[in-house]
């Protein structure tokens, strides 16, 4: 199947899967946590998984691989499309991603098909490393199919005090997330682009 057609299919599927009805979940370490509402909502929708001990570990930092796995779950292509995705991307993923992360192969294939990550990025990225805030911003914008909007903002002069530390290729994505209210500065008006991001922060974004 032509990858462009498949990408359009995924855009359609994404639009109809972000509003899945929620059901109640209970995690022992979320009671009273500032991210409780966000994390429980994502868990109820099947996007975020907890651990076997009944915890969600909101303050654990997320790896790049875990982040991609989460974002892939925004899509539900269906069995036929999944077969096409596997045919297009299984070899690429097997070659680029170590077998220790084989649990995420299917999710990473979806991310490639949806354009959340490129093949060259996948080949060069350490997926076991903790995700940094500016990279998360790029992945999130792509997952939301807002790449064009972000590209139009690539020359934006961001008002964060540490705006100069944001990589040039990430500025548009950060600006787009600012414009739609997903990102704000911290108490000192910093974005902290290189900061590792916790499961709580990722869920909230």
């Amino acid at each position: 199947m032509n990858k462009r057609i498949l990408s359009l299919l995924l855009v359609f599927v994404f639009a109809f899967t972000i509003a899945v009805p929620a059901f109640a979940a209970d995690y022992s370490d979320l009671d009273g946590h500032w991210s409780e509402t966000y994390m429980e909502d994502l868990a109820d929708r099947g996007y975020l998984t907890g651990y076997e001990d009944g915890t969600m570990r909101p303050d654990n930092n997320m790896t790049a691989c875990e982040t991609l796995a989460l974002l892939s779950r925004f899509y539900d292509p269906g069995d036929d499309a999944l077969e096409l995705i596997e045919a297009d991307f299984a070899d690429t993923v097997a070659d680029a991603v170590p077998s220790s992360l084989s649990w995420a192969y299917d999710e990473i294939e979806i991310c490639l098909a949806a354009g959340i990550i490129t093949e060259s990025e996948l080949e060069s990225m350490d997926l076991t490393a903790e995700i940094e805030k500016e990279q998360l911003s790029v992945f999130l914008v792509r997952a939301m199919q807002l790449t064009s909007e972000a590209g139009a903002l690539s020359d934006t002069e961001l008002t964060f005090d540490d705006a100069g530390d944001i990589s040039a290729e990430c500025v548009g994505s950060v600006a787009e997330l600012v414009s739609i209210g997903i990102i704000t500065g911290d108490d000192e008006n910093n974005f902290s682009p290189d900061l590792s991001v916790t499961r709580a922060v990722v869920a909230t974004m």
Side-chain angles (χ1 to χ4, degrees):
M1 185 177 187
N2 183 281
K3 291 181 180 179
R4 177 175 294 181
I5 296 174
L6 181 56
S7 179
L8 292 173
L9 173 64
L10 286 170
V11 172
F12 177 84
V13 172
F14 174 78
F16 283 87
T17 57
I18 56 177
V20 177
F23 55 89
D26 185 25
Y27 297 94
S28 60
D29 57 346
L30 285 185
D31 187 27
H33 194 277
W34 64 267
S35 69
E36 179 179 3
T37 299
Y38 300 104
M39 297 197 78
E40 286 188 345
D41 181 58
L42 286 190
D44 291 346
R45 294 170 186 268
Y47 300 152
L48 191 65
T49 58
Y51 293 88
E52 293 181 356
D53 62 358
T55 63
M56 187 58 78
R57 304 179 192 177
D59 299 318
N60 281 15
N61 290 333
M62 285 191 73
T63 66
C65 187
E66 291 168 338
T67 302
L68 290 172
L70 168 61
L71 295 178
S72 76
R73 295 170 192 147
F74 291 166
Y75 296 84
D76 184 15
D79 292 340
D80 291 342
L82 285 173
E83 289 182 6
L84 295 168
I85 291 171
E86 183 176 9
D88 274 346
F89 298 106
D91 289 343
T92 299
V93 171
D95 290 342
V97 180
S99 59
S100 59
L101 299 177
S102 60
W103 61 268
Y105 279 7
D106 292 346
E107 287 91 344
I108 294 172
E109 290 169 13
I110 292 174
C111 287
L112 285 169
I116 297 172
I117 190 171
T118 67
E119 293 184 20
S120 60
E121 288 170 342
L122 183 64
E123 291 167 357
S124 62
M125 182 175 294
D126 179 4
L127 295 180
T128 65
E130 295 175 353
I131 191 75
E132 294 181 350
K133 196 173 182 183
E134 66 174 10
Q135 185 63 67
L136 170 63
S137 300
V138 172
F139 286 164
L140 183 56
V141 161
R142 292 174 181 172
M144 297 168 67
Q145 302 293 335
L146 295 174
T147 304
S148 295
E149 290 83 348
L153 298 176
S154 59
D155 294 327
T156 299
E157 293 187 10
L158 294 164
T159 59
F160 299 116
D161 288 350
D162 61 349
D165 296 334
I166 301 173
S167 301
E169 63 271 19
C170 300
V171 168
S173 294
V174 174
E176 175 62 19
L177 294 182
V178 169
S179 73
I180 60 178
I182 290 179
I183 285 178
T184 60
D186 61 18
D187 291 341
E188 298 179 352
N189 194 37
N190 288 320
F191 174 66
S192 303
D194 299 329
L195 188 70
S196 296
V197 187
T198 65
R199 288 166 59 83
V201 170
V202 171
T204 303
M205 290 177 63

